[in-house]
Amino acid sequence: MKVGDISCGRSGDKADTLDLTLVAFDDDAYARLDHMLTSERVQHVLDGVIPGTVRRYALPGLKALKFVIDDALPGGVYASLHAGLHWQKAATYVLLDLDLDGQA
């Protein structure tokens, strides 16, 4: 099972900060994501693609997890060397494609 099978994702940016949010489809999906997607795991998955430290915010009332990465867009979205102004959407898909099977 992939993260995208039980949630949807959104992304955004402000200056050099990237914001990735996953919203679970139901309470069981949220509980599974909350347990499995630590800030350390997400940082490991995004390592090499996005610089910066991942901070995680749990929003159980919204069934959402928000991951904020400072310094992910060096120089801001217009000066960053990442291709395209909306490359951050691809970062969301990296999380949505993450395999959850076999993970504790």
Side-chain angles (χ1 to χ4, degrees):
M1 174 184 305
K2 294 185 183 268
V3 170
D5 294 335
I6 60 172
S7 68
C8 60
R10 299 283 297 171
S11 65
D13 60 78
K14 289 291 182 204
D16 66 350
T17 301
L18 178 61
D19 175 317
L20 304 173
T21 303
L22 297 173
V23 180
F25 295 147
D26 58 38
D27 290 333
D28 290 337
Y30 176 77
R32 187 167 187 181
L33 293 176
D34 184 46
H35 176 72
M36 299 180 86
L37 295 182
T38 63
S39 57
E40 294 82 11
R41 182 166 186 206
V42 170
Q43 179 141 5
H44 177 74
V45 168
L46 297 176
D47 192 39
V49 179
I50 300 171
T53 301
V54 174
R55 288 179 283 133
R56 186 187 99 144
Y57 299 93
L59 304 162
L62 299 174
K63 298 182 191 82
L65 295 176
K66 178 183 279 292
F67 300 95
V68 177
I69 305 117
D70 293 319
D71 303 319
L73 304 165
V77 69
Y78 295 106
S80 175
L81 296 178
H82 291 288
L85 292 178
H86 301 290
W87 72 271
Q88 68 272 28
K89 291 182 186 348
T92 302
Y93 288 108
V94 169
L95 293 183
L96 291 172
D97 196 45
L98 184 62
D99 190 7
L100 294 173
D101 289 331
Q103 299 296 317

